[in-house]
Amino acid sequence: MESAGIVRRQSAERIRDTLERLAAERDMWVSTAHPDRGPHQVPLWFLWDGRAVWMCTGAASATARNVRKEPRVRLSLPDTFDVVLLQGHAEYFPDREVPRDAADAFADKFGWDPRTEEGSFVYVRVVPKTVHAWRGEPELSGRVIMRAGVWLEP
C-alpha cells in the first residue's frame, strides 16, 4: 500500500475531521441484516444532528424491515481512502411519529420532505457507539476514535 505523503493525524484531528464530514456530506452507506436473509447494504441521504445520524427510507424497504428485526447497523461514508465507519443501534420512526426538529432539519438539508409524500416513509436514527477513522495505512493504528459512545481524546 502506498503511504507516501500521508501525515498521521492525532486523535483530536481525526475527530474534528470526522465531525466536519458528518456535517457536510450527503450520502452514507447503510448496512443492515435480516436474521434469516443476511446482509443488505444501500446508500441513503443522511443528516448529522451533532449526536446522531438520521436517514429516511420507504416503510416497505429491506432497510426498514431489517432495522425492525435487527437494530444493529453499520454506516460508512463513501470515500475509501478517507475512511469513516460508524456502528450503533438503529431506532425506527414512522414518518408521522418522527421528532419534528429532526424531520424539519432533514427536509431543510435535502429540499425534500418525506412527510408530504403519498407513500409511507420511516426515519432511522443511529447514535454511534463506535467510530473508526483513518486515511491510508499510516493511520490504521489508532483508528478507533469513539468507543461505547464516547469520543476518545488523548
Side-chain angles (χ1 to χ4, degrees), residues 37-126:
R37 295 183 197 101
H40 177 73
Q41 188 175 39
V42 296
L44 291 176
W45 287 349
F46 79 96
L47 167 76
W48 173 251
D49 71 4
R51 186 170 179 271
V53 172
W54 287 90
M55 300 159 286
C56 190
T57 188
S61 70
T63 300
R65 288 191 311 268
N66 289 352
V67 164
R68 283 192 299 265
K69 297 213 180 255
E70 172 53 75
R72 292 178 296 173
V73 298
R74 288 192 177 221
L75 311 172
S76 64
L77 294 178
D79 191 325
T80 60
F81 176 75
D82 192 1
V83 178
V84 175
L85 303 173
L86 301 91
Q87 185 172 326
H89 286 81
E91 295 176 81
Y92 177 94
F93 296 88
D95 55 9
R96 305 279 186 248
E97 299 172 20
V98 66
R100 185 176 182 161
D101 59 337
D104 288 348
F106 190 91
D108 289 346
K109 180 174 181 178
F110 297 108
W112 173 64
D113 191 339
R115 297 169 297 178
T116 65
E117 296 288 334
E118 253 182 62
S120 294
F121 288 85
V122 297
Y123 290 79
V124 177
R125 176 181 185 253
V126 178

Side-chain angles (χ1 to χ4, degrees), residues 16-30:
R16 186 196 72 230
D17 292 347
T18 297
L19 290 170
E20 287 175 1
R21 289 186 64 202
L22 288 170
E25 293 201 27
R26 181 191 72 184
D27 303 313
M28 178 170 280
W29 284 98
V30 182

